Amino acid sequence: MKIALLPFIIIYRLYFAIIFFAVLTILYPVFWIMLLNEKNFNAVWKLKLATARLILILDFIGIRKISVPENLEGPYVICANHASYLDIIAFYRILPKNRFLFMGKSELLRWPVINIFFSKMDIAVNREKRHSAMRSLIRAKREIENGWSIVIFPEGGIPLTAPKMGQFKNGAFKMAIDLGVPILPITCLDNWQLFGTDPVLSARAHPGVAKVIIHDPIPTKGLEKKDLVSLRSRTFEVINKPLMEKHGDYISKL
């Protein structure tokens, strides 16, 4: 069956990439001009929302939020499983009323088109350089004080075993404890089925509806460094439980 569908998968993946880069390339001059001044961040945020909506519509991807807590008032350190390139753009439809910035690895600065966001607005982190990591934390603290949430994929990348999650890194939880900001866990249930990552041309890909669960925030006020491991484990379990409930049989074979 996979061999019979392969031509359609390849065509859709190429179509998805063309739409993504074409829309962002057309809007690139607008984003570039707006991002020259931090005062435009709110306007850039609104344009990002509209851009993500357009790309997902053109790629025939919908978003269905299965569960959303009441009164989601940030800022938060937002943690989600990372299983697809679709995750990033889907976030602008998952949380359209909660302003957020992505914090990601510095390698994103080398990506065409989207590098403008990580050089000007979102936060790039070079984990190998202590001073860079410290500057990123200081910047994140400043943005949280300005009312922005910070989105971190605590696996540190897309695991080859997706939807089985990789081990969480400590950064997101250290930040949340240091800043006294709640963790907002989010489970992306099936982005990995809608647009897989490996192999590049033949991984799973098809139009559909991305189902998402936004969990209750996990408070961090009063927590100390010694609580980091338990906070990390609790967040992992919260995000992982719906994945196991829906895809447990598949995950157990990985």
Side-chain angles (χ1 to χ4, degrees), residues 33-186:
I33 292 170
M34 294 176 70
L35 287 169
L36 290 175
N37 193 328
E38 287 190 16
K39 293 180 180 179
N40 295 328
F41 277 10
N42 283 328
V44 173
W45 164 256
K46 292 177 182 178
L47 183 56
K48 278 186 171 186
L49 292 179
T51 302
R53 182 182 182 86
L54 175 62
I55 290 173
L56 291 174
I57 288 173
L58 292 175
D59 283 327
F60 309 105
I61 299 290
I63 303 292
R64 179 187 166 199
K65 289 177 266 193
I66 295 175
S67 177
V68 182
E70 294 183 3
N71 303 319
L72 272 182
E73 296 181 1
Y76 301 105
V77 172
I78 302 169
C79 292
N81 59 307
H82 198 13
S84 168
Y85 293 128
L86 180 61
D87 297 339
I88 293 176
I89 194 163
F91 250 91
Y92 292 101
R93 300 297 301 140
I94 294 169
L95 291 171
K97 296 182 180 180
N98 297 81
R99 298 183 310 155
F100 61 79
L101 300 173
F102 283 102
M103 178 175 275
K105 53 191 177 181
S106 58
E107 287 88 336
L108 291 166
L109 293 170
R110 297 197 293 266
W111 285 34
V113 183
I114 69 169
N115 59 0
I116 188 175
F117 300 114
F118 279 90
S119 63
K120 301 289 186 180
M121 187 172 177
D122 295 293
I123 305 171
V125 184
N126 188 335
R127 300 187 186 99
E128 297 179 359
K129 295 185 178 180
R130 187 181 184 89
H131 291 300
S132 173
M134 186 59 66
R135 283 197 302 269
S136 299
L137 181 61
I138 292 171
R139 164 88 194 284
K141 180 179 180 180
R142 187 180 81 221
E143 299 302 348
I144 284 173
E145 290 171 349
N146 290 333
W148 291 84
S149 294
I150 304 295
V151 177
I152 300 177
F153 296 109
E155 294 162 281
I158 301 174
L160 295 176
T161 56
K164 182 180 180 180
M165 291 199 300
Q167 184 176 352
F168 280 5
K169 300 183 183 301
N170 290 334
F173 311 101
K174 183 179 186 304
M175 178 190 300
I177 291 173
D178 288 346
L179 303 181
V181 178
I183 296 279
L184 181 63
I186 293 179

Side-chain angles (χ1 to χ4, degrees), residues 26 60 103 116 147 158 189 224 229 239:
I26 291 169
F60 309 105
M103 178 175 275
I116 188 175
I158 301 174
L189 279 171
E224 300 176 357
V229 174
I239 295 172

Side-chain angles (χ1 to χ4, degrees), residues 233-246:
S233 298
R234 180 181 176 186
T235 305
F236 184 98
E237 291 303 322
V238 168
I239 295 172
N240 190 50
K241 184 179 178 183
L243 288 171
M244 293 303 298
E245 289 174 350
K246 184 172 183 180

Side-chain angles (χ1 to χ4, degrees), residues 14-25:
L14 291 173
Y15 171 80
F16 187 103
I18 289 169
I19 291 295
F20 180 83
F21 285 107
V23 170
L24 287 181
T25 299

